[in-house]
Amino acid sequence: MMKRIISATVMNQAGVLNRITGVLSRRRFNIENISVGHTDNDKISRTTFIVNVESLEEVEQLMKQLNKQIDVLKVVDITDEAVITRELALLRINADNKNRNEIYTLIAPFRANVVDVAKNSLCIQVVGTTEKIDALIDLVRQFGIKEVARTGVTAIRRGNSKPDKIEKLIIK
Amino acid sequence: MKVEQQKKELTGALILLDALIENGVEVVFGYPGGQALPLYDAIYDYGIKHILTRHEQGAIHAAEGYAKISGKPGVVITTSGPGATNILTGLADALIDSMPLVVLTAQVPTDVIGTDAFQEADMIGLTMPITKHNYQVRDVKSLKRILAEAFHIASTGRKGPVVVDLPKDLLIATCKRTESVVIDLPGYQPNFTPNALQINKLKAAIQKAKKPIVVAGGGVILSGASEELREFCNKYNLPVVHTLLGLGGFDPDSKLYLGMGGMHGEYAANKAICECDLLISIGARFDDRFTGSVKHFAPNATIAHIDIDPAEIGKIIKTDIPIVADAKNVIAEMLKEPINRADDDQWVEYLFEQRKTFPLNYAKDSEDLKPQEVLEEIFNQTKGEAVIVTDVGQNQMWAAQFIKQTAPNRWATSGGLGTMGYGLPAAIGAQIAEPDRNVFAILGDGGIQMTVQELATIKENKLPIKIIILNNSVLGMVRQWQTLFYKERYSHTVLTNPDFEMLSRAYGIEACTINKKEDLKNMLKKAIEYDGPIVVNCLIDKDEMVYPIVAPGAGLHEMKGV
């Protein structure tokens, strides 16, 4: 099994996310993670998702099937490129007068922020790679986690990266 | 006056009908209902040819038959809810066989969509996986553009069905006539011209090959590349194997012709696939019924795959030379500069010998009426000039084997989906596409009963279809598998049938029954000469088999019953 990060630009039409997840599910691809949002052009959205596949042929087939969708503009496998991946998480954890300061100190190296404080809990916001967020969650588990909300990964290529082999295979 | 005309607003229903005419539509197949009423009211005095079928499934299969034989997109109209859900089978069928259709489904009014209104069904959700694309119209001003896009998408690239869902209020709403529309589909750019590098690779492979074959599929017919294919294969001495949907693409009397390959393919065709060193697939998608076990498929061959759909390449068979383009353009490109082929004819002679030694066979000396000879007789009496439409199962395989297809666009069958009930309504569309040609519907007694109500449509429209029932009172193909693979346990495959002659007459259609071999020639001749539709009920043995057969999961080298 390998994880591939796929980035697709799509027409911002009603139901376009359905079309994408529909292609993935009926061809039995396993999505681990999906996120979607506008680009600078409000007619175009970017969706980023992570799939588990057995081989590169499999991911190539997936990309071709996605490309067949009329509302899909471009599909790129950016796994092997220089990419920046980020995820945002909001964590509500138990906190009281005794340990609040300890929590503040603990999360500081993660550049996480406290965005809400209540009598018995506080809410932390953290942005970073999936690994970083996983590490923070592990660390604050000792206080007792009430709720976790994660956005899923979004990604973008670095400015000076070259397109990789797989992108060239896609004829569109 | 002119200014007044320009100012005049049109209803959505009229804009839609105008758009059909502008897109070259000559006939629509449909069935009215509550939400479709504004459209049907406009059709009442519009003057478009509309065929009222007796079930929406009949309408969509008729449109498929029309598309297959005419090469033009078939158009279907249904009402919302149950009317629309009745066409799902046809959509799946059209998608997998790349049939261009534009399907207009009425929908409940915009303000009640999503409220489980009377006769509401989510057609966008339901048809997303079984259409090439679908639209729900949200503004009457976009109707003309959407229709133009729908026809463009359906009939270009890899052809397929497009659904346009039409909320009732938009059929009534009005807007000014727009003169022209711009199709703007940045995500839809099919590639028509082949890559020069890959063309050169294919040329080099042909030059080198000692045992090349061409596998010609439905894409050859769809791109109108039959002439080019003939020229190409004759010029370079390339033997041709057909897929089920490719029949008619090549000349069956040529020495290079090997017939259909696959599960019920000819011995020589499958032998050629097993032994070739270069396999050039043109417009075929390596369906499992064609390849058998993929592991044993063309094990020694360089694979060149020509397809307009990039997703087909490498999906089933690992490809050495991928060419994404229109088949006609590719073959034309291949013909531009001659390829030096050092060919000693040995391979062609060898396959020709195989075909002579192991032809398709059946017990010709039997005293019983054989389905194969019924079909051969149809071919002989019509001199291969008839349009042949089949249902699915044994009738279909025998028709593919024993009625030679001499020209493209005269053969309509449900390939990928294998839809029983396809044959009778598809023949309606075929006859409308070719009003002056003999059209035969080759059906089983099981399949005809799935869409038998369309006999009324045939009668009403005076369509002189020759309806041949190969009647064995069983679900023949399923029974064959039960015989071969399920220890003759005939679970639910024996049918208690109606009297097909009486049934036909009830619909006002002439009928006859052939049960003796010696009556075949004469009665078939009478049926063909009869001026009008006729049902010919041919009584055949329930244990007649389709041979050869490659068992499911086996390789093409493991043919049985040669």
Side-chain angles (χ1 to χ4, degrees):
Chain A
M1 272 298 195
M2 58 174 118
K3 281 187 190 167
R4 306 299 296 184
I5 308 170
I6 312 293
S7 170
T9 44
V10 300
M11 297 302 286
N12 186 17
Q13 306 268 18
V16 69
L17 196 59
N18 255 347
R19 290 186 198 278
I20 291 174
T21 53
V23 168
L24 294 169
S25 71
R26 69 178 172 268
R27 299 206 180 249
R28 301 197 51 177
F29 287 102
N30 176 12
I31 319 175
E32 193 175 288
N33 194 314
I34 187 161
S35 69
V36 62
H38 294 282
T39 61
D40 57 326
N41 180 344
D42 63 6
K43 284 187 179 148
I44 296 172
S45 293
R46 175 183 299 279
T47 152
T48 308
F49 50 91
I50 298 178
V51 285
N52 288 310
V53 292
E54 299 281 353
S55 64
L56 287 177
E57 285 76 28
E58 215 179 303
V59 80
E60 187 190 329
Q61 177 61 211
L62 178 157
M63 290 163 65
K64 284 173 166 179
Q65 292 297 344
L66 284 174
N67 253 326
K68 272 173 78 165
Q69 295 298 311
I70 309 289
D71 287 339
V72 172
L73 297 174
K74 193 174 184 192
V75 186
V76 191
D77 179 337
I78 55 175
T79 319
D80 298 332
E81 295 184 44
V83 290
I84 301 167
T85 63
R86 289 292 181 271
E87 189 176 356
L88 182 144
L90 295 169
L91 321 170
R92 178 166 296 285
I93 62 172
N94 293 324
D96 54 29
N97 290 338
K98 284 175 219 147
N99 60 13
R100 204 170 278 136
N101 278 340
E102 185 192 349
I103 293 170
Y104 274 83
T105 322
L106 213 54
I107 66 171
F110 289 86
R111 286 193 240 171
N113 301 318
V114 172
V115 290
D116 181 45
V117 182
K119 205 168 146 197
N120 295 317
S121 70
L122 52 79
C123 179
I124 303 167
Q125 169 190 297
V126 59
V127 176
T129 61
T130 300
E131 293 73 26
K132 174 176 156 182
I133 290 168
D134 287 345
L136 180 68
I137 289 172
D138 270 351
L139 197 65
V140 298
R141 204 178 292 281
Q142 52 178 314
F143 305 106
I145 299 175
K146 283 170 160 315
E147 272 180 287
V148 176
R150 297 173 74 150
T151 58
V153 174
T154 191
I156 201 160
R157 276 186 276 187
R158 287 189 187 275
N160 56 358
S161 74
K162 288 181 200 141
D164 75 342
K165 211 171 63 196
I166 288 166
E167 189 187 359
K168 283 184 214 145
L169 277 173
I170 298 302
I171 301 135
K172 174 105 192 189
Chain B
M1 180 69 192
K2 207 179 170 193
V3 178
E4 258 171 51
Q5 253 180 1
Q6 275 172 353
K7 273 189 187 163
K8 199 179 153 197
E9 302 229 320
L10 292 177
T11 62
L14 279 173
I15 292 169
L16 189 144
L17 292 174
D18 283 351
L20 294 183
I21 300 300
E22 280 158 27
N23 286 286
V25 174
E26 286 164 358
V27 58
V28 297
F29 302 88
Y31 203 103
Q35 307 300 350
L37 271 169
L39 183 53
Y40 273 87
D41 190 57
I43 288 172
Y44 187 66
D45 49 12
Y46 190 86
I48 194 166
K49 185 172 181 179
H50 177 283
I51 304 293
L52 172 71
T53 54
R54 293 300 183 270
H55 189 292
E56 289 86 353
Q57 188 183 357
I60 193 163
H61 291 325
E64 284 186 274
Y66 174 82
K68 183 84 193 183
I69 302 305
S70 72
K72 295 181 210 159
V75 178
V76 181
I77 301 176
T78 76
T79 191
S80 66
T85 56
N86 274 344
I87 56 159
L88 295 180
T89 304
L91 288 172
D93 191 275
L95 183 69
I96 201 165
D97 282 354
S98 313
M99 285 294 108
L101 298 184
V102 172
V103 178
L104 310 166
T105 56
Q107 181 56 280
V108 299
T110 310
D111 60 347
V112 295
I113 288 178
T115 65
D116 307 316
F118 177 65
Q119 295 197 326
E120 179 183 2
D122 169 18
M123 286 312 286
I124 295 301
L126 282 166
T127 64
M128 205 173 271
I130 50 172
T131 51
K132 186 169 171 185
H133 196 51
N134 58 18
Y135 290 92
Q136 187 171 67
V137 183
R138 297 188 173 196
D139 177 2
V140 67
K141 290 195 201 81
S142 64
L143 191 51
K144 188 168 170 166
R145 172 187 55 82
I146 287 175
L147 261 292
E149 288 182 0
F151 277 95
H152 176 66
I153 292 168
S155 55
T156 56
R158 179 169 179 181
K159 297 172 185 180
V162 178
V163 163
V164 181
D165 202 35
L166 302 156
K168 186 183 189 179
D169 52 315
L170 295 170
L171 295 171
I172 300 164
T174 58
C175 77
K176 278 190 196 130
R177 186 195 293 273
T178 40
E179 286 312 320
S180 61
V181 287
V182 179
I183 294 177
D184 180 27
L185 296 165
Y188 179 65
Q189 312 285 340
N191 197 33
F192 295 104
T193 41
N195 175 305
L197 186 81
Q198 299 298 347
I199 288 284
N200 287 339
K201 268 168 97 176
L202 179 55
K203 282 183 179 169
I206 291 173
Q207 204 166 352
K208 220 173 62 182
K210 292 206 161 54
K211 301 174 177 179
I213 62 164
V214 166
V215 169
V220 171
I221 314 280
L222 285 164
S223 87
S226 179
E227 295 257 326
E228 287 82 355
L229 179 77
R230 287 165 203 232
E231 193 185 336
F232 175 61
C233 295
N234 286 326
K235 191 166 174 184
Y236 299 118
N237 217 17
L238 305 169
V240 179
V241 172
H242 271 312
T243 68
L244 178 66
L245 296 184
L247 294 170
F250 195 70
D251 172 15
D253 294 322
S254 162
K255 196 173 182 178
L256 296 167
Y257 183 79
L258 300 175
M260 181 174 77
M263 182 174 268
H264 295 296
E266 293 194 33
Y267 178 82
N270 285 347
K271 190 95 176 148
I273 293 170
C274 292
E275 294 180 13
C276 67
D277 64 1
L278 171 65
L279 187 148
I280 308 166
S281 169
I282 310 180
R285 59 178 183 84
F286 298 116
D287 183 281
D288 56 271
R289 287 296 190 269
F290 181 76
T291 61
S293 156
V294 169
K295 203 171 77 189
H296 297 107
F297 184 81
N300 309 314
T302 299
I303 307 283
H305 192 171
I306 299 161
D307 205 300
I308 190 117
D309 179 359
E312 287 305 336
I313 289 167
K315 187 181 79 177
I316 308 289
I317 303 285
K318 208 168 175 301
T319 301
D320 304 292
I321 307 170
I323 302 181
V324 178
D326 183 69
K328 197 180 174 102
N329 292 346
V330 176
I331 306 174
E333 196 62 42
M334 294 299 295
L335 286 166
K336 264 188 191 162
E337 284 165 41
I339 306 165
N340 276 330
R341 236 199 113 207
D343 177 47
D344 55 7
D345 251 1
Q346 241 182 26
W347 171 239
V348 171
E349 286 299 331
Y350 166 74
L351 292 174
F352 185 66
E353 276 308 307
Q354 298 292 320
R355 192 150 192 264
K356 267 201 318 204
T357 317
F358 304 101
L360 289 167
N361 218 342
Y362 64 94
K364 286 184 179 142
D365 47 4
S366 159
E367 285 175 12
D368 302 327
L369 180 68
K370 291 283 172 188
Q372 298 92 337
E373 67 185 337
V374 173
L375 300 166
E376 281 184 331
E377 193 56 31
I378 289 172
F379 176 82
N380 290 337
Q381 291 199 17
T382 58
K383 300 178 180 67
E385 290 291 313
V387 168
I388 306 295
V389 184
T390 80
D391 211 77
V392 165
Q394 288 184 317
N395 61 81
Q396 176 186 33
M397 290 299 114
W398 285 322
Q401 292 176 331
F402 291 95
I403 305 181
K404 284 191 286 184
Q405 294 302 321
T406 55
N409 298 95
R410 287 194 201 152
W411 165 249
T413 193
S414 165
L417 200 68
T419 307
M420 274 178 75
Y422 168 92
L424 190 63
I428 293 173
Q431 185 75 75
I432 286 164
E434 284 272 14
D436 299 326
R437 205 176 274 279
N438 269 320
V439 172
F440 285 79
I442 312 290
L443 315 171
D445 48 303
I448 187 177
Q449 291 185 75
M450 285 201 173
T451 44
V452 72
Q453 74 284 345
E454 301 310 333
L455 287 173
T457 313
I458 291 169
K459 174 68 184 174
E460 183 173 280
N461 293 282
K462 302 187 183 68
L463 302 170
I465 302 168
K466 311 301 170 196
I467 302 154
I468 312 291
I469 310 176
L470 299 176
N471 182 355
N472 50 11
S473 292
V474 293
L475 299 176
M477 187 58 95
V478 184
R479 183 186 173 91
Q480 174 167 345
W481 282 43
Q482 286 172 333
T483 304
L484 296 173
F485 312 121
Y486 290 87
K487 301 185 180 135
E488 300 180 18
R489 288 155 55 86
Y490 298 119
S491 181
H492 296 274
T493 46
V494 181
L495 302 178
T496 303
N497 279 331
D499 179 327
F500 284 108
E501 274 196 57
M502 278 172 70
L503 181 66
S504 310
R505 294 215 171 89
Y507 280 103
I509 290 179
E510 192 51 52
C512 63
T513 296
I514 307 179
N515 54 15
K516 283 197 227 89
K517 196 184 177 96
E518 52 269 29
D519 293 341
L520 174 62
K521 274 196 177 131
N522 200 17
M523 288 184 78
L524 196 62
K525 186 161 176 280
K526 277 189 189 154
I528 293 171
E529 283 166 358
Y530 177 75
D531 183 21
I534 182 168
V535 169
V536 183
N537 181 30
C538 305
L539 302 182
I540 60 165
D541 181 26
K542 63 184 185 302
D543 286 312
E544 188 65 35
M545 300 262 200
V546 179
Y547 283 128
I549 181 170
V550 176
L556 292 183
H557 60 297
E558 298 168 276
M559 279 169 282
K560 298 255 183 352
V562 176

